Amino acid sequence: MLGELSDVDQRIFALSFHVDYWNRLGWVDPFSQKAFSQRQRRYAQVLKDRRVYTPEMVVNGKDGFVGSDRQRAKHRIAQALRDTVDVSLDLTTQSGGNATRLQVVYRLDVVPENAVLHVALVEKMAQVQVPRGENAGRSLQHHHVVREFVSVKADTMGVVRLKIPDGLEREKIDVIGFVQDKVSMSILAANFLGQE
């Protein structure tokens, strides 16, 4: 569903954060990170949800719900697309020719109070064979998998350096940047930088 949603409208920036709290069940998700589980717990705290679960979808940092609820997802995303945006984020890459690093230059027209800039290096599609656990023997297809995630205090401009995971070709990645209020967790601006 996440893959479908991002194809509907270019203003939808889908990010799949793989949590690590299921890794104890016999198979370690190669895309999971402890920081992503902590990020989900922060959302639960702000959204006043007493639990964390998967799949969960969070739209614009304001609404969290079961990620497989297609109707609610479409409704909440449609509402979010009608919201006005007061901040403009521009992203470009800086030349360097390094195959293992990517430098992203960002510019903001306004720097809101409590603003944090997040830049995600996203693998467009990944397929994984699961050897053990409840999905043993299955091949799982993942969309928009966050492989590298860097957060910095937002400024009018700056450079964020991303490490490209070993074996991941540039044509298989995108870069998504977004500005978030670190207190309310609301998304204030977002932009996309495709890789050729």
Side-chain angles (χ1 to χ4, degrees):
M1 188 172 79
L2 195 65
E4 291 172 22
L5 289 172
S6 58
D7 291 338
V8 171
D9 191 309
Q10 290 183 331
R11 297 172 297 163
I12 298 173
F13 303 109
L15 297 171
S16 178
F17 290 92
H18 287 228
V19 295
D20 70 343
Y21 50 79
W22 298 115
N23 288 348
R24 57 188 166 75
L25 299 179
W27 174 71
V28 175
D29 182 341
F31 307 124
S32 65
Q33 294 187 29
K34 183 177 182 177
F36 298 165
S37 299
Q38 292 169 338
R39 183 171 176 76
Q40 187 187 29
R41 288 185 186 100
R42 175 71 179 130
Y43 272 121
Q45 182 183 34
V46 169
L47 299 174
K48 305 210 181 323
D49 197 339
R50 287 178 284 185
R51 67 204 192 292
V52 293
Y53 52 88
T54 60
E56 180 181 18
M57 185 177 292
V58 177
V59 176
N60 267 8
K62 297 178 183 176
D63 189 24
F65 50 89
V66 175
S68 57
D69 187 340
R70 188 176 297 269
Q71 286 307 108
R72 186 164 179 183
K74 287 182 178 180
H75 176 71
R76 289 301 294 132
I77 291 169
Q79 283 182 324
L81 290 173
R82 289 192 294 270
D83 290 345
T84 57
V85 178
D86 298 325
V87 181
S88 177
L89 171 63
D90 182 51
L91 301 172
T92 55
T93 53
Q94 201 170 55
S95 61
N98 188 332
T100 63
R101 297 269 172 193
L102 187 62
Q103 293 192 118
V104 179
V105 180
Y106 75 89
R107 287 181 179 77
L108 286 170
D109 61 342
V110 176
V111 181
E113 187 177 355
N114 300 316
V116 176
L117 174 80
H118 303 291
V119 181
L121 184 140
V122 177
E123 187 169 357
K124 297 175 195 178
M125 192 172 70
Q127 195 142 346
V128 177
Q129 296 290 335
V130 182
R132 292 178 299 282
E134 67 178 20
N135 288 312
R138 293 182 63 198
S139 177
L140 300 180
Q141 192 174 66
H142 303 287
H143 296 271
H144 308 279
V145 180
V146 176
R147 299 295 306 273
E148 177 81 359
F149 191 69
V150 176
S151 303
V152 296
K153 184 178 186 302
D155 204 343
T156 52
M157 68 175 296
V159 177
V160 175
R161 290 167 182 83
L162 299 171
K163 182 181 182 307
I164 301 172
D166 293 340
L168 187 54
E169 299 159 6
R170 285 204 181 197
E171 63 269 11
K172 294 183 179 178
I173 64 173
D174 286 327
V175 173
I176 295 173
F178 61 101
V179 180
Q180 187 168 32
D181 185 305
K182 68 181 179 183
V183 177
S184 71
M185 298 293 279
S186 295
I187 307 301
L188 309 172
N191 210 339
F192 159 84
L193 183 62
Q195 296 298 300
E196 299 288 324

